[in-house]
């Protein structure tokens, strides 16, 4: 995971807990959301009760390396897919590589779901469970798979888990020695979180062989109140696709080439 993403999540939680964020808020159901912009957006979610959550979904392994890229709904011969990064047509002021979603691209999985949960005052909140829901399954997106270079960084301490959507319902996969080189422990509920001691989760989400839309529920107990917070992409499901069998392209010095860094 990139170091600055950790900083964004920590800053977002600290600011919201202090009640300083007042602009750019949106309501989704009973939740209030705040978008913290960056190359990877964090969505801060807060309900009347329960924890304040900072959520980021990004590609790559636990230190942000080895990003598997995006599938664009264009064949490799299409003009857009032969346009060097940072050039060509723009949507919302950004080029195809700067805002893949605007050009119809879908992230290649697995992706990493980061959740940091924090109470807003001195009371403790118990986090009871995380449940994944697949809301739509489609065949994998066909087109051009492009993997852009990703930076690497240090990892904080995470409670880690792995989930797979290959069969319904989604199921947890044994962690084993996965990410053993990082400061982690295996995800095992319940957890307690306070204002000074957030609980931070890293969950590898593998959509399997589909293009899946999905969302998450975090159940919690806040004093005498119990509830669930919906975690999604600011009111819309997250979306990831398998790219099995697609050639992987990368860009170096303005030239497109077939990648030799990935085999799947």
């Amino acid at each position: 995971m990139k170091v600055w993403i950790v900083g964004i999540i920590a800053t977002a939680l600290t600011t919201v807990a202090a009640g300083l964020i007042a602009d750019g808020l949106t309501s989704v159901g009973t939740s209030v959301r705040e978008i913290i912009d960056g190359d990877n957006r964090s969505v801060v979610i807060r309900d009347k009760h329960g924890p304040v959550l900072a959520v980021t979904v990004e590609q790559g392994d636990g230190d942000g390396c080895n990003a598997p890229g995006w599938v664009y709904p264009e064949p490799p011969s299409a003009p857009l897919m032969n346009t060097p990064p940072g050039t060509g047509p723009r949507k919302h002021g950004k080029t195809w590589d700067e805002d893949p979603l605007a050009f119809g691209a879908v992230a290649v999985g697995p992706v990493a779901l980061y959740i940091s949960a924090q109470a807003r005052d001195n009371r403790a909140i118990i986090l009871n469970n995380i449940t994944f829901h697949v809301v739509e399954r489609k065949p994998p997106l066909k087109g051009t798979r492009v993997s852009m270079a990703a930076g690497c960084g240090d990892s904080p301490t995470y409670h880690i888990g792995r989930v797979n959507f290959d069969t319904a319902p989604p199921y947890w996969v044994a962690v084993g020695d996965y990410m053993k080189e990082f400061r982690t422990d295996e995800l095992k509920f319940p957890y307690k979180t306070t204002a000074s001691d957030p609980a931070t989760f890293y969950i590898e989400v593998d959509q399997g062989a589909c293009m899946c839309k999905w969302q998450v529920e975090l159940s919690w107990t806040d004093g005498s109140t119990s509830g669930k917070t919906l975690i999604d992409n600011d009111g819309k499901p997250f979306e990831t696709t398998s790219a099995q069998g697609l050639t992987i392209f990368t860009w170096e010095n303005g030239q497109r080439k077939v990648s030799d860094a990935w085999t799947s």
Side-chain angles (χ1 to χ4, degrees), residues 28-49:
V28 178
T30 60
S31 299
V32 176
R33 314 291 181 94
E34 170 76 11
I35 302 297
I36 309 299
D37 284 316
D39 288 348
N40 294 275
R41 297 192 319 166
S42 286
V43 180
V44 178
I45 306 171
R46 49 180 173 155
D47 286 323
K48 181 178 180 180
H49 298 283

Side-chain angles (χ1 to χ4, degrees), residues 1-3 58-66 112 114 150-156 158 178-179 181-182 202:
M1 183 179 180
K2 302 175 183 66
V3 176
E58 69 172 70
Q59 297 184 327
D61 54 26
D63 61 358
C65 304
N66 301 327
Y114 298 94
C152 304
D154 293 331
S155 170
Y158 287 108
Y178 178 66
M179 288 179 64
E181 67 271 25
F182 298 99
Y202 167 101

Side-chain angles (χ1 to χ4, degrees), residues 8-10 12-13 42-45 52-56 114-118:
I8 285 176
I9 289 178
L13 276 174
S42 286
V43 180
V44 178
I45 306 171
V52 179
L53 305 179
V55 178
T56 298
Y114 298 94
I115 304 171
S116 193
Q118 181 184 41

Side-chain angles (χ1 to χ4, degrees), residues 1 9 53-56 112-118 127-130 157-161 185-193 198-204 218 231:
M1 183 179 180
I9 289 178
L53 305 179
V55 178
T56 298
L113 170 65
Y114 298 94
I115 304 171
S116 193
Q118 181 184 41
L127 309 177
N128 297 314
N129 199 14
I130 287 177
T157 299
Y158 287 108
H159 309 302
I160 65 170
D185 58 48
E186 188 166 356
L187 187 66
K188 189 175 182 180
F189 286 97
Y191 292 96
K192 180 176 74 173
T193 181
T200 308
F201 305 101
Y202 167 101
I203 303 174
E204 183 190 74
L218 174 67
I231 298 171

